[in-house]
Amino acid sequence: MRYVMLGPPGAGKGTQAVRISNRLGIPHISTGDLLRLADVATPAGAAARTLMEAGHLVSDEIVVDLLFERIRRSDARKGFILDGFPRNVIQAEILDEWLAGQDEGLDAVLEIYAPVAVLLDRVLSRSAQAVSAGSAPRADDNETTLRQRLESYRMETLPLSDYYHRKGVLMSFDGTCNIDALATAIGEQIPAVGR
Ligand code: ADP
């Protein structure tokens, strides 16, 4: 049970990944979350934080180290759902090579797409909700950084749709519908992750 969630910021990858993780009993591994937990007192942690807050991708070396440290743990032996990795073709090739070395492959790549206007609206309202609830919004959930994150997505991550389509594992879903409807659509297309 090895899955990858693909999609721009605000598409709803994390929400669906958590549901699938609970349903299948496999860990949800988000590189964004791993990076936010990285110690900023270390040079790698500090470099990652600066890039994230500007909406740029963190270096492959840093992300790959964090990711593999996590997927080698025993709870990921029977599978995992990746959210935020891979984010470019180099990372996808590194993952493929590692999986091949384990005699494994990806069961499916779940791509969630939505128009930019919807993504902007969702991320900015998530940030406004955090403020009105008295908590701090994510440092990268502001319009300028979000536009840069969308641009990084377009330039570096979007080619992965083609990459995984050619490998025959890509499944694409319209992310503009509500959370339950999207979960249902995913379950219909991929019965193994269904309800
Ligand atoms: P989102 O998908 O909503 O933009 P994430 O929480 O997945 O947010 O990631 C936040 C930031 O962490 C990204 O904008 C990027 O700077 C960094 N990041 C996360 N995953 C990767 C990755 N695989 N490669 C490079 N940078 C990453």
Side-chain angles (χ1 to χ4, degrees):
M1 294 189 287
R2 287 165 182 81
Y3 297 95
V4 163
M5 303 295 305
L6 196 61
K13 307 182 290 290
T15 308
Q16 298 299 328
V18 168
R19 288 186 162 217
I20 295 169
S21 151
N22 292 335
R23 218 173 287 146
L24 301 182
I26 51 175
H28 163 219
I29 302 177
S30 152
T31 43
D33 289 347
L34 293 175
L35 286 164
R36 279 183 284 276
L37 290 172
D39 185 356
V40 285
T42 64
R49 187 61 55 95
T50 305
L51 288 163
M52 288 172 79
E53 292 188 354
H56 295 291
L57 293 190
V58 173
S59 73
D60 293 334
E61 198 190 352
I62 293 176
V63 179
V64 165
D65 280 356
L66 271 175
L67 193 265
F68 285 105
E69 191 270 321
R70 179 66 190 85
I71 61 177
R72 280 197 193 99
R73 288 199 219 150
S74 59
D75 66 336
R77 210 167 290 147
K78 82 172 190 180
F80 45 72
I81 177 145
L82 303 183
D83 167 10
F85 190 96
R87 249 179 164 94
N88 60 34
V89 172
I90 290 174
Q91 293 181 6
E93 288 170 349
I94 293 172
L95 178 64
D96 276 348
E97 213 168 285
W98 185 82
L99 287 167
Q102 317 273 312
D103 263 336
E104 299 287 353
L106 293 173
D107 295 82
V109 173
L110 287 69
E111 176 183 54
I112 306 180
Y113 58 88
V116 169
V118 171
L119 302 170
L120 276 167
D121 191 54
R122 284 189 185 162
V123 174
L124 299 179
S125 58
R126 170 169 84 188
S127 160
Q129 273 164 16
V131 173
S132 60
S135 47
R138 258 173 58 172
D140 58 351
D141 274 356
N142 57 71
E143 182 155 357
T144 312
T145 308
L146 179 58
R147 287 193 185 277
Q148 177 55 51
R149 282 154 65 202
L150 289 167
E151 185 57 12
S152 302
Y153 185 81
R154 196 176 65 83
M155 299 289 293
E156 308 205 38
T157 314
L158 211 51
L160 292 181
S161 302
D162 210 41
Y163 178 93
Y164 286 124
H165 176 70
R166 277 188 273 114
K167 292 188 178 280
V169 288
L170 187 75
M171 311 286 290
S172 296
F173 301 93
D174 177 357
T176 55
C177 56
N178 69 42
I179 292 172
D180 285 335
L182 180 54
T184 304
I186 292 173
E188 278 167 4
Q189 290 294 313
I190 314 175
V193 307
R195 315 157 160 269

